[in-house]
Amino acid sequence: MLIGTQKIECPFRVKGLKLNTNDDWMVSVVCGTHNYSAALYMEGHAYMGRLSATENNILVDLSKNLVKPRNILYTFKNRDPNNMSTINTIYNARQKFQTVEKVGKSQMQQLLSFLHQYGYVFFNRSNAHTDELEELFFTHPGSLELLRAFSHVLLMDATYKTNRFKMPLFEIVGVTSTKMTFCIAFVFLQSEKEDNYTWALNCLRSTMDECTTPRVIVIDIDLALMRSCAQVFPLYMAH
């Protein structure tokens, strides 16, 4: 299997030119001479492991259903014993599909589209002057079902690291009657100040109409978060 390239000073060169009409290209051969003989066998060449149009359609459907790449590859091998695709073939095809799907969308537009597509409950707050996103709260309906059943204990904390936009991720976790934890909601915050925490907790409170008020909220020693908890959930115990 070829897993890399080797520089052998081959003089072969081609030149590609993007045409002004549609999405057409013109390719011309600058030098058609190689300094090595043609391969006698095709084993190890990516060309042999390329996906057919049918397999590409299957890959897109499986990817949309969150099937892992190794399981997609297993599906192709199981359907066709002569299939010569590798895991890199699957990764490259998925990357191509995802790139095409994201054309014309910003990262935030992609995220909001994903949340809407999969039925998440989400709230956002933007800057009144620049219309830039400042906070984003999102939770899955399945998490809300668990929250309605187990709302007595909440664990809250923000990640130490931030994303590329310098926004910390605030995570809210619940605890079941068997002492198992489950994710309730995630919040991208502009900063870790009382106003930001209060907005996030109010979003959480708005999704808890059918839930009992939590009896215990476990947090670290974050004064801003403690004040927000006392404001949104006045009857709580913080540790």
Side-chain angles (χ1 to χ4, degrees), residues 43-186:
E43 286 83 355
H45 288 266
Y47 178 81
M48 297 303 297
R50 71 193 188 283
L51 301 179
S52 65
T54 301
E55 289 173 330
N56 266 309
N57 292 334
I58 294 175
L59 178 138
V60 170
D61 291 337
L62 294 178
S63 297
K64 287 183 177 180
N65 286 282
L66 307 181
V67 178
K68 295 182 179 180
R70 65 172 180 268
N71 294 332
I72 296 176
L73 180 61
Y74 174 80
T75 299
F76 291 154
K77 298 289 187 182
N78 194 43
R79 291 178 70 255
D80 181 10
N82 296 320
N83 182 285
M84 299 180 65
S85 300
T86 66
I87 192 65
N88 285 336
T89 306
I90 306 302
Y91 281 124
N92 292 337
R94 278 165 52 98
Q95 180 65 34
K96 182 179 180 180
F97 152 69
Q98 292 169 355
T99 300
V100 172
E101 196 175 49
K102 294 175 182 177
V103 170
K105 295 181 180 179
S106 66
Q107 289 182 325
M108 192 53 60
Q109 288 174 326
Q110 295 166 25
L111 175 57
L112 293 176
S113 176
F114 176 88
L115 296 176
H116 180 75
Q117 178 183 352
Y118 290 97
Y120 278 72
V121 176
F122 61 95
F123 307 95
N124 60 78
R125 184 165 67 164
S126 303
N127 186 292
H129 301 289
T130 63
D131 201 32
E132 294 180 350
L133 182 75
E134 293 186 341
E135 271 92 29
L136 175 64
F137 173 101
F138 56 96
T139 177
H140 192 272
S143 297
L144 294 180
E145 290 294 328
L146 286 172
L147 178 60
R148 293 186 183 99
F150 308 104
S151 61
H152 299 297
V153 179
L154 300 181
L155 292 80
M156 304 179 184
D157 197 10
T159 56
Y160 173 72
K161 293 185 177 181
T162 61
N163 62 10
R164 59 179 296 186
F165 303 106
K166 307 301 181 181
M167 300 174 72
L169 179 66
F170 182 54
E171 185 175 3
I172 304 171
V173 176
V175 181
T176 69
S177 57
T178 56
K179 299 182 181 180
M180 300 291 289
T181 59
F182 63 95
C183 294
I184 297 174
F186 299 92

Side-chain angles (χ1 to χ4, degrees), residues 2-64:
L2 299 177
I3 58 174
T5 59
Q6 183 178 5
K7 294 182 179 180
I8 56 176
E9 303 300 330
C10 178
F12 180 80
R13 296 288 185 276
V14 295
K15 180 180 180 180
L17 178 64
K18 178 73 169 62
L19 302 180
N20 293 328
T21 58
N22 300 325
D23 195 28
D24 298 328
W25 284 77
M26 182 177 68
V27 179
S28 60
V29 179
V30 178
C31 178
T33 304
H34 294 278
N35 62 357
Y36 56 91
S37 59
L40 299 178
Y41 306 99
M42 294 298 292
E43 286 83 355
H45 288 266
Y47 178 81
M48 297 303 297
R50 71 193 188 283
L51 301 179
S52 65
T54 301
E55 289 173 330
N56 266 309
N57 292 334
I58 294 175
L59 178 138
V60 170
D61 291 337
L62 294 178
S63 297
K64 287 183 177 180

